[in-house]
Amino acid sequence: MNNILEIKNLEIDYGIVKAVKGINIEVPRGSIVALLGANGAGKTSTIRSISGMTKVKAGEILFNGENIANLPPYKIVQKGIMQSPEGRLILQGLTVEENLLVGAYSIKSCVIDGEKISRNQRIKKTLREVYNYFPILEKRKKQQAATLSGGEQQMLAIGRALMAEPEILLLDEPSLGLAPLVIKDIFSIIKKIKEDGKTILIVEQNARQTLKIVDYAYVLEVGKIKTSGTASDLLSNDELVNAYLGG
Ligand code: ATP
């Protein structure tokens, strides 16, 4: 199956507020797909509905062909979906490495090619991968998470999500509140994570930076998809560039 994730006619309501009004999204395996749009467009509601944190009113969320809409979040994590949340929500009182290990709570031992791999071996291997993506986290592994800079905390949030070995990584506004150089760094690591075989769905207001790394993007406007396309499709649309990319 080429699409790891397919969203069909998704609707989300908060009482009388219709946040998402029947959208369709496809995420091909091994790609980076973005949901772009202004404040209040419905991006966060959509991504939170995939991870089970926001209730779906109607429609389907097909993950590897199975409808996971409204399953409890822990079951969705077990299926291979992990979100790095907006605002990061790392555990400030724990060290960097303890935060990463919390991300691995759902990991179990497994058998690959007839060989048993223990839980600890799996966690150690993934921790190595996370430290390779983010060497600064290894340097700071014994430090309290609260003492990290904003960019390092964002790296920790992404690293923690990777520790669950997800098939698809959901990123909610990874650039939020960060300086341009830090954003550039984090986005190039996100691209590397994709090149190593992960599928990524990213929600962003920073359309310009995001379009540099994505394979395909959807632009949301008040709960509907206004348009979608590759970065070059979207960048050749003057109306869109003026509305979302500051001309
Ligand atoms: P932002 O980037 O500001 O988070 P967004 O595109 O992610 O924007 P959502 O956060 O999904 O948009 O919000 C979509 C709409 O739903 C907005 O009108 C918002 O006010 C409303 N909304 C979101 N969460 C709730 C909630 N818990 N209760 C009521 N209304 C909500």
Side-chain angles (χ1 to χ4, degrees):
M1 194 178 312
N2 191 28
N3 286 330
I4 190 168
L5 188 74
E6 253 183 84
I7 292 180
K8 292 188 173 169
N9 305 313
L10 179 71
E11 293 177 32
I12 298 169
D13 281 1
Y14 301 101
I16 55 163
V17 179
K18 291 192 187 317
V20 176
K21 303 171 188 169
I23 63 171
N24 293 291
I25 289 170
E26 292 184 9
V27 183
R29 199 177 299 280
S31 67
I32 302 187
V33 171
L35 305 182
L36 306 174
N39 269 118
K43 308 180 299 296
T44 296
S45 300
T46 302
I47 204 166
R48 283 175 59 90
S49 73
I50 301 168
S51 48
M53 292 185 285
T54 290
K55 197 166 175 291
V56 170
K57 186 188 170 224
E60 287 181 320
I61 300 175
L62 301 174
F63 179 63
N64 288 323
E66 178 193 359
N67 188 10
I68 57 158
N70 291 327
L71 284 184
Y74 78 91
K75 285 211 170 143
I76 293 177
V77 169
Q78 283 169 358
K79 288 186 187 294
I81 299 177
M82 194 70 201
Q83 180 169 345
S84 172
E86 184 180 26
R88 305 186 269 272
L89 297 175
I90 59 170
L91 302 163
Q92 303 282 340
L94 298 187
T95 66
V96 167
E97 189 153 293
E98 284 164 351
N99 264 276
L100 290 172
L101 295 176
V102 166
Y105 74 92
S106 61
I107 296 297
K108 296 189 171 70
S109 61
C110 69
V111 177
I112 299 175
D113 296 334
E115 194 192 339
K116 185 165 185 228
I117 317 277
S118 73
R119 177 171 192 271
N120 276 346
Q121 284 171 313
R122 274 181 82 177
I123 292 174
K124 223 170 146 188
K125 178 170 171 285
T126 315
L127 191 62
R128 188 67 261 144
E129 287 166 7
V130 169
Y131 285 149
N132 286 344
Y133 288 127
F134 304 108
I136 191 76
L137 295 183
E138 185 165 23
K139 263 195 181 161
R140 307 234 185 284
K141 66 181 180 189
K142 297 213 168 92
Q143 203 168 306
Q144 261 206 347
T147 64
L148 297 179
S149 70
E152 289 161 359
Q153 293 201 13
Q154 182 59 65
M155 292 176 193
L156 180 54
I158 297 173
R160 192 180 65 180
L162 286 174
M163 288 303 296
E165 297 184 22
E167 271 189 72
I168 184 168
L169 180 63
L170 309 178
L171 301 175
D172 193 359
E173 302 250 14
S175 80
L176 196 73
L178 303 181
L181 271 181
V182 180
I183 295 174
K184 214 171 147 228
D185 262 10
I186 289 182
F187 275 42
S188 72
I189 296 164
I190 292 172
K191 192 165 173 220
K192 174 96 186 23
I193 294 170
K194 172 216 132 158
E195 286 163 357
D196 290 343
K198 285 261 185 282
T199 308
I200 298 173
L201 179 65
I202 178 170
V203 157
E204 262 296 340
Q205 282 194 45
N206 187 334
R208 197 172 283 283
Q209 283 296 334
T210 308
L211 286 176
K212 288 185 183 155
I213 60 162
V214 298
D215 297 295
Y216 200 83
Y218 293 83
V219 179
L220 268 74
E221 204 174 87
V222 285
K224 289 191 172 158
I225 289 170
K226 186 174 165 60
T227 185
S228 68
T230 61
S232 61
D233 291 341
L234 298 178
L235 289 167
S236 64
N237 178 335
D238 288 343
E239 189 201 340
L240 203 76
V241 169
N242 285 328
Y244 293 102
L245 300 172

